[in-house]
Structures are given as C-alpha cells and as structure tokens.
Amino acid sequence: MTNADASLEPIILSEQRGGVRIITLNRPHARNALTTKLIDAVRGELADADADGRVDVVILTGTDPAFCAGLDLRELGATGGNAAKISDASVPVGHPWRPLSKPVIGAVNGAAITGGLEFALACDFLIASERARFADTHARVGVLPGWGLTSRLPATVGRGFARRMSLSGDFVDAQQALRVGLVTEVVPHDRLLTAAVDVAVSIVGNDQAGVRTLLESYRRAEDHLVEPALVVEDETSRSWMNDFDPSRVADRRSAVIGRGRAQNAGTERR
C-alpha cells in the first residue's frame, strides 16, 4: 500500500459483536504509530463505547503487523504535537484516555512499544499473540512517559524488571511477558481475536452491574498507590517537556528505528 492509499483508509476501525466492541488501530503502514489524530480517535471511540448501552466489554487491538509502535516519530520530530497530547486536560493525569466504567481487554497482536506499551498497560488485562513484543524506548527517543508507565509497569512486572525494561529499551517477547505477568495468556497469532472475544463473552455473561462495581472496586483499591505515582510522573514529564526539542527526536529517528528492528528480529530468531 502506498502512502496515498493509506491516507484513504480509516485510522481506526470499530466492530460490534454482541456485547463486545472491538476497536482496532489501523495505521499498519506506520505500525499503528500514534499521531495526534489517532490519539483523538482512540479517545473518542472508547468514550463512545463507554456511553453505548449495547457495549459491556471493549477489546483494543491493532492491524497487523503491530499493536502500536508508540508516538509517530515523524510528527514528534517535526512538531511534537502528538507529545503535547500526553498531558491533555480532557483526560485524567497519567491516563492515555478517560478510564471506562467497562472492562478493556488488550489483544496484543505484535509490537507494543513505548506509548503503545502505555496503551497496553492502561487496559484491564492483556492477551498476547505469540508475535507480541514489548519495549519501553522512552530513554532511546529522549522523551519521558506521561501515561502512567512508571506506576503501572512496576505494579505489573515488579520493580526490577520494570527498570530493566525502561533503562535498557530492550524488547521482551511474548513468553517472557507471560512469565513476568505482563500478559495473562499467549495464543497462536491466528487465534488472538477469537481468544480475546471468548474471554469478553464470559464477562458479558455475568451481571453487568456487578462487573462494573467490582472493576471500580479494584481501581479504588489501587488508588492509594497509583495516584501519587501518576502525579510524580506527570510533574516529571511536564518539566522535561519544558526543554523538549523535537529536532533531537528527528536526529535520533533512524537510529531508534534501526536498533528496534534489529532487536525485534533477534527475539523472533530465538
């Protein structure tokens, strides 16, 4: 597909299956990298799903070959407009979107990198394809997380492994992600959406008032740990952005992409 052809495609897809809404990031030519428009589209689709009485569970996934490669480095290096969306008054501090009252399952079909990893962590739980890969490359790019990574990643995989991921920028494959608790299940690639829908249907079959109250209880129980950490991350990210120079990202772009591809290929050969 040419860039001209890609520009005609919708950047996000939405499908309803019974009580399940499947939302798919659809910039495959750019590995579903996050532009300002795509961030706004995701927030809008999730808000619509939360308000829609037909929807009990949301599945978030990406069009192959990636789940989400993080912020689009072309836009980040040119204007930094997508980075400005990280701290947005329309969503609470430390969240990529306004939290839903309904469960969000992340179906990770490929690479989930940096901002894409933060998208995954903001889901209630993750199911991964065998092709899933995870990496935090904030330190490589020269930006800081602002969607809760420094709180949610250590809470999910432990303090040491989280710091290792963030400070090295190295990739973690699907099986390693399962071992450290980042994902709940790894399935063959062609069964990913089926597996995610099966779990979603199990949730849909329960009392929905109970499901949503239980989900809220989980979140409130975590607030005393999560909220202070989110505030610290937000303050740090805002301070960093005061001196942020998009041209530095433009200079690093080729090296960052090349190193990421080399490491990703290395994990696939294991």
Side-chain angles (χ1 to χ4, degrees), residues 12 54 62 92-94 101 121 132 150 158 194 202 218 254 260:
I12 196 163
R54 299 173 301 161
V93 167
S101 63
L121 289 167
T150 56
T194 299
S202 293
Y218 265 109
S254 295

Side-chain angles (χ1 to χ4, degrees), residues 11-12 23 25 35-48:
I11 60 175
I12 196 163
I23 296 173
L25 311 183
T35 59
T36 300
K37 289 182 179 180
L38 182 54
I39 294 168
D40 283 339
V42 171
R43 289 172 174 170
E45 287 289 343
L46 288 171
D48 287 347

Side-chain angles (χ1 to χ4, degrees), residues 8 13 15 34 41 64 93 119 143 204 260:
L8 300 176
L13 305 174
E15 177 187 354
L34 298 169
D64 286 344
V93 167
F119 263 35
V143 297
V204 171

Side-chain angles (χ1 to χ4, degrees), residues 38-88:
L38 182 54
I39 294 168
D40 283 339
V42 171
R43 289 172 174 170
E45 287 289 343
L46 288 171
D48 287 347
D50 203 31
D52 192 332
R54 299 173 301 161
V55 179
D56 294 321
V57 181
V58 175
I59 295 172
L60 182 66
T61 191
T63 301
D64 286 344
F67 176 75
C68 177
L71 294 182
D72 186 293
L73 294 184
R74 287 187 184 275
E75 182 176 344
L76 181 61
T79 67
N82 47 1
K85 282 287 180 181
I86 294 174
S87 297
D88 191 319

Side-chain angles (χ1 to χ4, degrees), residues 77 141-142 240 243-253:
V141 178
W240 180 266
D243 297 318
F244 177 68
D245 180 0
S247 67
R248 292 186 299 179
V249 175
D251 292 341
R252 295 189 185 106
R253 181 174 175 272

Side-chain angles (χ1 to χ4, degrees), residues 150-198:
T150 56
S151 173
R152 296 190 184 95
L153 187 60
T156 303
V157 304
R159 172 180 177 272
F161 201 84
R163 294 186 185 193
R164 174 175 171 170
M165 286 184 69
S166 292
L167 301 180
S168 70
D170 289 343
F171 275 82
V172 171
D173 65 22
Q175 289 300 328
Q176 191 172 19
L178 180 63
R179 288 195 295 271
V180 299
L182 182 55
V183 305
T184 62
E185 183 180 7
V186 176
V187 299
H189 186 72
D190 60 3
R191 288 197 61 253
L192 175 63
L193 199 55
T194 299
V197 169
D198 285 347

Side-chain angles (χ1 to χ4, degrees), residues 182-242:
L182 182 55
V183 305
T184 62
E185 183 180 7
V186 176
V187 299
H189 186 72
D190 60 3
R191 288 197 61 253
L192 175 63
L193 199 55
T194 299
V197 169
D198 285 347
V199 176
V201 168
S202 293
I203 297 171
V204 171
N206 294 331
D207 178 80
Q208 287 309 299
V211 166
R212 293 170 199 176
T213 302
L214 184 58
L215 183 60
E216 181 186 12
S217 180
Y218 265 109
R219 291 172 178 168
R220 288 177 59 198
E222 296 169 348
D223 279 351
H224 70 290
L225 295 174
V226 172
E227 291 303 322
L230 295 181
V231 170
V232 169
E233 181 183 270
D234 183 65
E235 291 173 349
T236 305
S237 181
R238 286 177 182 274
S239 176
W240 180 266
M241 289 299 292
N242 287 337

